[in-house]
Amino acid sequence: MGQLQDKYKNYCEPQKYMDAGVYPYFREITSKQGTEVTDIDGHSILMFGSNAYTGLTNDPRVIEAGKRALDKYGSGCAGSRFLNGTLDLHVQLEKELAEFEHKDEALCFSTGFSVNAGVLAMVVGRGDYIICDDRDHASIVDGRRLSFATQLHYKHNDMQDLERVLQKLPKEAIKLIVVDGVFSMEGDLAKLPEIIELKHKYNCSVMVDEAHGLGVFGKQGRGVCDHFGVTDDVDLIMGTFSKSLASIGGFIVSDKDTINYLRHTCRTYIFSASNTPSATAAALEALHILQKEPERQDHLWAVTHYALKRFRDEGFEIGETESPIIPLYVRDIDKTFMVTKLAYEAGVFINPVIPPACAPQDTLVRFALMATHTEDQVERGVQILKKIFKDQGII
């Protein structure tokens, strides 16, 4: 037994919940990701724990595009984009993403996490400042830790606190405000119009993570920046393929000079194997469908408004959400795990959110919608969760 083994042999927090029969992670699914999935025991489960907002993960056109790319290019590129791993398919996707987001150029990465981790480490450095919302995603947190810039933060969506931070910083210094467009656990939106006002007032730059806004907000699903009409004022826009674009990977769009710099310096880009051909083709096809079928986004919002109303009518506490992400607050870790277990047993897949993803007093279960959900499916979910929450004394 070595030092590392000695250090971690007493790590038994997960086992505590396993022994109690309420461990909620790594539940095995044996079917495609849709509004209903099949578990390892063959049971059909209503899926409200997915980020597939557009419902395209099992679309035949997306699947076929991935198959064609697999046949043409093989299973992988066996190298980084910097060296042998750039396909014409990667370049085409980058060109179309830049046009879609109304920016000069784009870079595609193998994961969304590696976009934030790599870009933030490179665009700001010693003598610069990076300012983040308290509830920014973990990938932003890790990216800012990798940077040599001075790290600052402000209270969640508190523009007075953000201005307090900015007032203390040198006007001539590079100051990058980084924020989620849609906060992934609570479902509320960043106050981008006010952030842009502060950008101009204090000579800052702004980066927005559109992971949960892409495909949901804005014209043709361009995201929260488009929704608020501030795209031109946002310096860097990040997005993922693993949610609305039904694949895996991520991207950053910006001006030509910034992308040129990142293309030649960003370590998570030049030292990672490039995204697989099938994943790239699937994301490209999903992007095409998103633009051709606005009714998909319309239906997502129709079912979202229905769900928001039903949860509020039934007395659930759902916070300030303005999106298809609906937090159902439990405010107790043990009960959060119990609700997740009971819901799963009753045929509803939801996700528990506990620290460090939230504050200890803000634990919740996350109910998320797809464009392919029906009102009937939502109603079934509401009724099942209503009984569980009442039985647990939460509502």
Side-chain angles (χ1 to χ4, degrees):
M1 188 71 75
Q3 289 176 312
L4 279 179
Q5 290 77 14
D6 284 339
K7 181 176 181 179
Y8 296 119
K9 68 181 179 181
N10 293 321
Y11 174 65
C12 56
E13 191 70 9
Q15 290 88 320
K16 180 176 74 174
Y17 292 104
M18 290 175 188
D19 293 343
V22 294
Y23 183 73
Y25 304 117
F26 305 103
R27 292 167 283 180
E28 295 181 46
I29 295 171
T30 62
S31 64
K32 295 174 182 176
Q33 190 86 189
T35 59
E36 297 194 30
V37 298
T38 305
D39 70 7
I40 194 70
D41 296 316
H43 301 132
S44 181
I45 310 288
L46 283 169
M47 173 54 75
F48 293 109
S50 174
N51 296 316
Y53 304 116
T54 55
L56 288 171
T57 49
N58 58 10
D59 188 284
R61 295 165 293 180
V62 174
I63 294 170
E64 184 57 35
K67 288 179 178 178
R68 289 196 303 268
L70 191 64
D71 288 337
K72 180 177 179 179
Y73 299 100
S75 60
C77 298
S80 74
R81 289 288 305 279
F82 202 59
L83 298 175
N84 66 297
T86 291
L87 303 175
D88 54 352
L89 200 59
H90 293 125
V91 176
Q92 181 185 354
L93 178 55
E94 287 174 340
K95 182 177 183 295
E96 294 194 25
L97 283 167
E99 292 173 352
F100 180 69
E101 292 289 355
H102 296 155
K103 291 293 183 185
D104 291 349
E105 293 187 10
L107 280 185
C108 289
F109 291 64
S110 299
T111 68
F113 197 105
S114 64
V115 179
N116 284 337
V119 169
L120 292 175
M122 294 310 303
V123 294
V124 286
R126 286 187 176 90
D128 302 334
Y129 298 85
I130 183 168
I131 308 104
C132 297
D133 187 291
D134 269 345
R135 295 186 189 171
D136 277 349
H137 189 264
S139 58
I140 295 175
V141 174
D142 281 7
R144 81 183 190 204
R145 287 172 176 168
L146 289 170
S147 169
F148 290 109
T150 299
Q151 300 174 35
L152 303 168
H153 60 89
Y154 60 95
K155 296 174 185 175
H156 177 55
N157 260 345
D158 187 330
M159 296 299 98
Q160 287 186 332
D161 196 43
L162 173 56
E163 185 161 21
R164 176 192 62 79
V165 172
L166 295 175
Q167 284 173 340
K168 299 177 181 179
L169 304 182
K171 183 175 178 59
E172 67 280 2
I174 292 176
K175 301 173 287 293
L176 180 64
I177 303 169
V178 187
V179 67
D180 288 8
V182 181
F183 291 92
S184 59
M185 297 298 110
E186 297 84 4
D188 54 339
L189 308 186
K191 296 180 179 178
L192 288 185
E194 295 170 59
I195 289 173
I196 295 303
E197 286 182 14
L198 292 172
K199 164 191 168 161
H200 293 303
K201 184 175 180 180
Y202 292 99
N203 190 32
C204 302
S205 300
V206 173
M207 176 174 165
V208 176
D209 180 330
E210 286 278 21
H212 297 270
L214 185 69
V216 179
F217 290 89
K219 185 178 180 182
Q220 296 181 316
R222 286 184 172 87
V224 177
C225 296
D226 184 82
H227 170 73
F228 283 120
V230 298
T231 298
D232 290 345
D233 291 303
V234 175
D235 301 272
L236 298 118
I237 297 175
M238 172 269 181
T240 63
F241 305 148
S242 57
K243 299 171 177 63
S244 288
L245 295 186
S247 183
I248 185 70
F251 68 92
I252 190 80
V253 293
S254 189
D255 63 277
K256 181 179 179 181
D257 292 333
T258 301
I259 295 298
N260 177 57
Y261 172 73
L262 290 170
R263 184 181 286 118
H264 294 91
T265 63
C266 184
R267 294 169 68 86
T268 59
Y269 177 76
I270 64 177
F271 292 108
S272 289
S274 59
N275 214 353
T276 64
S278 56
T280 305
L284 183 60
E285 181 62 22
L287 181 64
H288 293 164
I289 294 170
L290 195 61
Q291 294 173 85
K292 289 186 294 187
E293 298 181 359
E295 64 273 14
R296 185 174 293 273
Q297 189 179 359
D298 292 341
H299 182 74
L300 173 62
W301 277 106
V303 76
T304 294
H305 291 314
Y306 178 82
L308 290 169
K309 182 178 186 304
R310 290 297 296 117
F311 278 119
R312 288 191 176 108
D313 287 348
E314 296 294 353
F316 287 83
E317 182 188 356
I318 65 172
E320 303 298 321
T321 181
E322 302 174 63
S323 72
I325 300 166
I326 305 178
L328 307 177
Y329 283 93
V330 179
R331 303 195 183 281
D332 178 282
I333 292 176
D334 290 341
K335 283 188 177 182
T336 297
F337 283 166
M338 180 58 72
V339 165
T340 305
K341 166 189 161 63
L342 294 173
Y344 190 80
E345 291 174 349
V348 173
F349 194 115
I350 50 176
N351 290 315
V353 179
I354 64 167
C358 67
Q361 69 274 15
D362 292 334
T363 66
L364 58 96
V365 290
R366 183 180 184 273
F367 185 100
L369 294 156
M370 307 178 207
T372 42
H373 276 121
T374 65
E375 288 187 3
D376 176 68
Q377 288 174 322
V378 171
E379 188 60 36
R380 283 157 57 195
V382 170
Q383 292 302 325
I384 288 169
L385 291 170
K386 174 185 173 182
K387 182 179 187 307
I388 293 169
F389 271 59
K390 283 192 171 181
D391 288 348
Q392 293 297 310
I394 303 166
I395 61 172

